[in-house]
Amino acid sequence: MNVSASTLALTVADVDASREFLTAHLGYQVATAADGFVSLTREDAAVDIVLLRRGIDVLPPEQRDQQAAGLILALTVTDLAAEEARLRAEGAPITMPLREEPWGEHLFQMTDPNGVVVQLVEWVAPTAPDSSAGSAGSDNSASSAGVFWAE
């Protein structure tokens, strides 16, 4: 299998509200749109996003009433502190402040008007207990793993 692109499809109550959030704060652009549907993209390596209105009949009946929940859209960025400052200045709804995890993940979260959690992440080499021993290197391979979970 050769994956040529990645798209995340989210079913939300208000497509326009999520579209506005993603275009205003995260630089997404509308690729195509119709009633109850919008496809968003960026020029970089970010995942494309499709927003579908809850109840839309293009979905199979068993999926129409579902909505995005328990999911975190995680985007790995550079200069996380600057992005957090920019988003705060724009009034973006930051729902988890900037923090650092011991395994080298720096992150914060925002929540869009439909409850979709967007996490911005920057990976750094974890701090070793004995910094004089050197570090194992920083190839940032964890940044491409895309392993995130919600509690």
Side-chain angles (χ1 to χ4, degrees):
M1 172 172 47
N2 178 34
V3 177
S4 61
S6 297
T7 302
L8 177 64
L10 301 172
T11 305
V12 296
D14 186 343
V15 169
D16 292 337
S18 286
R19 175 194 43 77
E20 178 60 29
F21 176 87
L22 292 164
T23 57
H25 297 303
L26 297 176
Y28 275 89
Q29 301 155 0
V30 174
T32 187
D35 183 37
F37 165 88
V38 67
S39 177
L40 303 170
T41 191
R42 287 181 47 100
E43 293 181 9
D44 57 16
V47 64
D48 290 345
I49 299 172
V50 168
L51 300 169
L52 299 163
R53 184 182 61 239
R54 189 172 174 206
I56 195 167
D57 63 1
V58 298
L59 292 172
E62 66 275 9
Q63 294 177 6
R64 290 180 190 161
D65 290 327
Q66 295 179 1
Q67 62 185 18
L71 155 97
I72 297 173
L73 168 59
L75 301 172
T76 302
V77 302
T78 56
D79 202 354
L80 183 67
E83 291 301 326
E84 194 248 1
R86 175 186 65 82
L87 289 161
R88 279 195 186 280
E90 291 177 359
I94 295 176
T95 51
M96 185 179 80
L98 185 62
R99 70 184 204 197
E100 299 178 10
E101 300 295 355
W103 51 85
E105 180 183 24
H106 294 196
L107 65 139
F108 69 92
Q109 292 181 349
M110 300 175 290
T111 303
D112 94 335
N114 284 295
V116 176
V117 176
V118 178
Q119 179 172 290
L120 297 186
V121 179
E122 184 172 40
W123 291 91
V124 297
T127 304
D130 179 9
S131 60
S132 64
S135 66
S138 173
D139 68 356
N140 285 335
S141 60
S143 67
S144 63
V147 179
F148 302 98
W149 59 94
E151 295 180 359

